DNA sequence: GGAACTCGCCAC
DNA sequence: AAACGTGGCGAGTTCC
C-alpha cells in the first residue's frame, strides 16, 4: 500500500481521531446479555427445526447418497456439487472463480423446496453465529468494546472489529430486530444516532463543483433520485403522496441507478438490478400483468409497454440513453472532473484528497475516482467526532460517544443532557465543520434519531 | 494444526 | 474499452 498522510493536517486529524476513538472504545456499548443468551437458544431451536424439515426433502436424499457420513448442510461446496453435478441443473450464476454460485439470488432462481429451508437456515445461523455470538464472546461485564481502526483502509476510511460495529443488520427487518435488540444504553440513558444526510454525494460536489448537482443538493424540493425515477420509469411526475408505490420506484432509481453510476457502474448491470426491483422479467416481451402493481391500479409492465419500452432489451436501450444524458448533459461537469482526475493520476501516479491524504500505487479508474470522495466524507465525520468527544470530556458529560459508522455517530445519552447534546451536535456538524474546512462548498445537515430510555437500538 | 484461500453476506 | 467503491467475519476447504 502506498498511501501516505500528506499534510500536517492529515496527521493531526488521525492522531486526534485515534485518541477520541480509543475513548469511545473504552466507553464501550452495553449489551442485554440475558437477551443474547435466551435468543441464542431460541435461534438454535429454530435451526434444529428447519434442519428436520430439510431432512424430509428429496434433495437431501441425493445429498446423503453422495456424501454419506461427510454430509454437511452448511457446506456450499457440497450444495453446488449436488445441484450442478448430481442433479444436472445449469448454474443460473457463477462465482468470480467460475464455479456454480449458490448465493441467495441464485438459489431463488432454482425451483426446489429444499432451497427455501437452506436459505432460512443460513439467515438464522448468520444472526446467531456472526452477531449474537460475537457480542457475547467479546463482552466484558456486559459491555462490548468494538475497535475502530484508522490504519486498515485504502481510502483512509475506518474499519471496525471484535466485534465489527459497522455491519449490524438494518435493512432486513427480522435480522435487524434480532441483532439490534441486543444493544442497549447505560441504565436510565437512551441511544442516539446522528447521521449526515447524503454525505458522500455532498463531498463529491466539493471535488467536481458541477452546477446541476449544486442545484440538486441545495434547492428546496430538488430530488435527483425522483428525477431519475421519472426518466427510468417514464412518468411525468413521481408523486409519493398521491401514489405511495412510487416511492419504491424512487428507491429503485437511487439504489439501482444513481449510486451505482457514481461508483462507476454502467447501464448494463443497472438494468438487471432495476428489473429485479420492480419484478419485471429479463427475457421476452413484457406482459400487462408483469411487474409490481402501481397505485394507479396498473402493473408496471403494462405502463412500460404503453410508454414504448416493451421488453428487457428495450429497457437496456432506454437505460443506455438515460446514462448518456445523465453524464453527457445533466452532470457533464462531474464527468469532465472524473476524466481530468483520472488523467492527472495517470501522469503523477497518485491523487490527493481535500483533507490532505495521498492515495498512490496501482489503482483502477473507479478506485482513483472513488477513494478521495469516500475518504474525505469519512474525515468530516471524524472531525465532528473529535470535537464532540472533546466537549464531552471537558464538560464532564454523563453522555458518552460509543461508536461511529462512516457517516454517523452513536451516543449513549443521559436524558437530562439530551437537549444540550443535540444543540452541540448540530453546532459542530452543521456550522463548525464548514467554518473549519473552507473547501466544503455545500451545506451539510444531520438527522438525529433518538431511541427509548432504557430501550434497545430499535425504533 | 494452522495459514491462506473461497464463498456468502452484513454495513456504508 | 470497460464496466460497483470500502470493509469484517463465519464456515468450509485446501495446502503445508
Amino acid at each position: 500500500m502506498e498511501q501516505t498522510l500528506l499534510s500536517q493536517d492529515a496527521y493531526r486529524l488521525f492522531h486526534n481521531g485515534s485518541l477520541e476513538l480509543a475513548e469511545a472504545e473504552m466507553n464501550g456499548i452495553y449489551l442485554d446479555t440475558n437477551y443474547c443468551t435466551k435468543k441464542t437458544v431460541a435461534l438454535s431451536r429454530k435451526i434444529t427445526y428447519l434442519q428436520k424439515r430439510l431432512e424430509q426433502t428429496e434433495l437431501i436424499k441425493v445429498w446423503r447418497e453422495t456424501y454419506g457420513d461427510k454430509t454437511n448442510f452448511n457446506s456450499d461446496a457440497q450444495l453446488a456439487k449436488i445441484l450442478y453435478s448430481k442433479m444436472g441443473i445449469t448454474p443460473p450464476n457463477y462465482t468470480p472463480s467460475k464455479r456454480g454460485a449458490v448465493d441467495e439470488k441464485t438459489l431463488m432462481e432454482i425451483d426446489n423446496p429444499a432451497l427455501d429451508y437452506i436459505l432460512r437456515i443460513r439467515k438464522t445461523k448468520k444472526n446467531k453465529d456472526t452477531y449474537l455470538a460475537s457480542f457475547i464472546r467479546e463482552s466484558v461485564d456486559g459491555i462490548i468494546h468494538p475497535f475502530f481502526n484508522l490504519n486498515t483502509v485504502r481510502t483512509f476510511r475506518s474499519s471496525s472489529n471484535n466485534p465489527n460495529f459497522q455491519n449490524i443488520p438494518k435493512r432486513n427487518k427480522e435480522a435487524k430486530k434480532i441483532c439490534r435488540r441486543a444493544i442497549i444504553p447505560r441504565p436510565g440513558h437512551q441511544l442516539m444516532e446522528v447521521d449526515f444526510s447524503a454525505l458522500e454525494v455532498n463531498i463529491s460536489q466539493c471535488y467536481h463543483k458541477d452546477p446541476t448537482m449544486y442545484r440538486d443538493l441545495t434547492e428546496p424540493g430538488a430530488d435527483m433520485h425522483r428525477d431519475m425515477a421519472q426518466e427510468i420509469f417514464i412518468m411525468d411526475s413521481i408523486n409519493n403522496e398521491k401514489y405511495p408505490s412510487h416511492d419504491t420506484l424512487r428507491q429503485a432509481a437511487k439504489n439501482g441507478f444513481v449510486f451505482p453510476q457514481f461508483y462507476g457502474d454502467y447501464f448494463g448491470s443497472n438494468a438487471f438490478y432495476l428489473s429485479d426491483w420492480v419484478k419485471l422479467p429479463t427475457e421476452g416481451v413484457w406482459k400487462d400483468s408483469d411487474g409490481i402493481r402501481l397505485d394507479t391500479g396498473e402493473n408496471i409492465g403494462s405502463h412500460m409497454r404503453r410508454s414504448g419500452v416493451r421488453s428487457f432489451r428495450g429497457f437496456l436501450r432506454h437505460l443506455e440513453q438515460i446514462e448518456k444524458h445523465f453524464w453527457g448533459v445533466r452532470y457533464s461537469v462531474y464527468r469532465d472532473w472524473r476524466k481530468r482526475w483520472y488523467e492527472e493520476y495517470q501522469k503523477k501516479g497518485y491523487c490527493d484528497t481535500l483533507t490532505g491524504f495521498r492515495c498512490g500505487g496501482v489503482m483502477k479508474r473507479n478506485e482513483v475516482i472513488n477513494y478521495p470522495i469516500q475518504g474525505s466524507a469519512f474525515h468530516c465525520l471524524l472531525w465532528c467526532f473529535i470535537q464532540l468527544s472533546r466537549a464531552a470530556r471537558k464538560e464532564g458529560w454523563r453522555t458518552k460517544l460509543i461508536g461511529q459508522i462512516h457517516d454517523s455517530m452513536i451516543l449513549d445519552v443521559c436524558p437530562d443532557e439530551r437537549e444540550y447534546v443535540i444543540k452541540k451536535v448540530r453546532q459542530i456538524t452543521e456550522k463548525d465543520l464548514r467554518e473549519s474546512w473552507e473547501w466544503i462548498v455545500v451545506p451539510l445537515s444531520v438527522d438525529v434519531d433518538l431511541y427509548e430510555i432504557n430501550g434497545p437500538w430499535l425504533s
Side-chain angles (χ1 to χ4, degrees), chain A residues 380-420:
Chain A
C380 291
L381 186 280
L382 185 62
W383 188 91
C384 296
F385 193 97
I386 292 166
Q387 308 308 313
L388 199 62
S389 181
R390 284 178 173 170
R393 189 172 52 253
K394 281 182 188 148
E395 299 176 7
W397 297 2
R398 280 172 288 172
T399 295
K400 304 288 179 199
L401 275 82
I402 58 175
Q404 156 272 130
I405 313 177
H406 308 305
D407 66 352
S408 72
M409 304 183 267
I410 291 81
L411 285 76
D412 186 311
V413 177
C414 174
D416 298 344
E417 300 170 350
R418 182 178 52 220
E419 300 315 315
Y420 179 76

Side-chain angles (χ1 to χ4, degrees), chain A residues 2 47 70 161 276 346 355 421:
Chain A
E2 299 188 37
I47 292 164
K70 295 207 170 104
N161 65 342
D276 190 56
Q346 287 178 310
T355 43
V421 169

Side-chain angles (χ1 to χ4, degrees), chain A residues 128-147:
Chain A
K128 172 175 164 284
D129 298 335
T130 301
Y131 297 106
L132 296 184
S134 74
F135 292 167
I136 295 169
R137 188 181 62 238
E138 300 293 341
S139 71
V140 180
D141 299 332
I143 303 173
I144 52 171
H145 301 270
F147 289 96

